[in-house]
Amino acid sequence: MEFFLDTADVDEIREIAAWGILDGVTTNPSLIKKSGRDFKEVVAEIASICDGPISAEVTAMDTAGMIEQGLALKAELPENVIIKIPCTPEGLAATKVLSDEGIKTNVTLIFSASQALMAAKAGATYVSPFIGRIDDTGHDGMELIAEIMNTWANYDIDTKVLAASIRHPTHVLQCIQLGAHTATMPAKTFRQLMSHPLTDKGLEGFMRDWAEVEAAGNA
Ligand code: E4P
């Protein structure tokens, strides 16, 4: 399973990339706003930190505008940048054109299995169903992941299912059980996935005993 970071904060990306298991990064206009930095400059820096796919989102609402922005981003930014496109009819058409050009895409803001399948038919490299935002409405976002994975099992689909809008480690663990190909999450969730109080307590005990081994001249 691929683990992506969902942030435009380069300090967080450097921290998690140093662990050696970061497969990619997703950004969106809100995350770019939060970074307070120039869009292309920050995406280029992210792409230099992590060599996996880095999603940069188009902001045009019409097909021609999305294609133009997608081509410009591909021309100006590093090779590992992929084009994030909203799941609208216009976005679907842009995805088809860019995919036919051999450009990798991530179709975002997916809230139904039918949207995911249509984006896959348009040639999307990734489809991004948003779990947390569905949970926020009082429904179970994980049911969408299950529905999409069941759909994928019925057909020969190359498109990867990128579980997004992840809020906590349980979301990630459930996605793993369901066979989602990729999960994108905030740095906080990455850290939570790696930490356990018993690891900390155990290590503390080992280090305390080792200090005594050293003090006895037996190291
Ligand atoms: C995915 O690519 C999106 O950037 C992201 O996961 C949205 O998450 P949010 O619902 O926490 O904003």
Side-chain angles (χ1 to χ4, degrees):
M1 189 194 203
E2 293 177 316
F3 279 7
F4 286 7
L5 254 179
D6 192 32
T7 184
D9 180 326
V10 292
D11 291 334
E12 287 184 338
I13 296 166
R14 281 204 177 82
E15 174 198 335
I16 305 296
W19 297 3
I21 57 146
L22 181 63
D23 298 306
V25 178
T26 50
T27 69
N28 63 40
S30 304
L31 292 170
I32 298 295
K33 177 187 160 196
K34 197 172 163 195
S35 78
R37 295 187 52 191
D38 176 78
F39 172 43
K40 288 178 189 162
E41 185 191 290
V42 76
V43 171
E45 187 173 342
I46 293 169
S48 74
I49 301 168
C50 174
D51 56 13
I54 312 300
S55 292
E57 189 160 342
V58 296
T59 49
M61 298 293 281
D62 62 303
T63 302
M66 289 182 195
I67 294 169
E68 192 185 321
Q69 286 183 355
L71 291 172
L73 290 170
K74 280 307 291 177
E76 293 168 41
L77 291 170
E79 186 58 36
N80 55 330
V81 170
I82 71 169
I83 308 305
K84 202 174 186 187
I85 302 173
C87 191
T88 59
E90 294 79 10
L92 211 59
T95 301
K96 174 76 178 134
V97 170
L98 292 175
S99 305
D100 286 351
E101 291 283 319
I103 293 172
K104 291 186 176 166
T105 55
N106 170 5
V107 177
T108 189
L109 287 167
I110 286 187
F111 292 92
S112 73
S114 59
Q115 286 180 314
L117 187 62
M118 287 168 124
K121 277 175 71 69
T125 315
Y126 290 94
V127 288
S128 290
F130 278 37
I131 302 169
R133 294 194 191 189
I134 295 178
D135 288 355
D136 291 345
T137 67
H139 294 88
D140 183 0
M142 208 52 65
E143 280 178 11
L144 173 58
I145 303 296
E147 210 179 333
I148 294 174
M149 295 320 297
N150 285 339
T151 308
W152 258 228
N154 289 336
Y155 302 98
D156 189 19
I157 301 174
D158 291 332
T159 302
K160 289 181 176 176
V161 177
L162 196 175
S165 188
I166 280 176
R167 301 278 159 80
H168 48 71
T170 309
H171 273 158
V172 182
L173 298 175
Q174 288 173 325
C175 284
I176 291 172
Q177 300 303 316
L178 292 169
H181 307 91
T182 312
T184 189
M185 64 197 101
K188 181 184 170 198
T189 308
F190 250 100
R191 294 186 200 106
Q192 288 171 324
L193 283 169
M194 260 314 288
S195 84
H196 198 288
L198 290 180
T199 304
D200 298 341
K201 195 176 166 203
L203 189 58
E204 208 181 292
F206 287 158
M207 292 304 101
R208 208 174 30 244
D209 290 341
W210 188 247
E212 289 182 30
V213 172
E214 284 182 323
N218 292 330

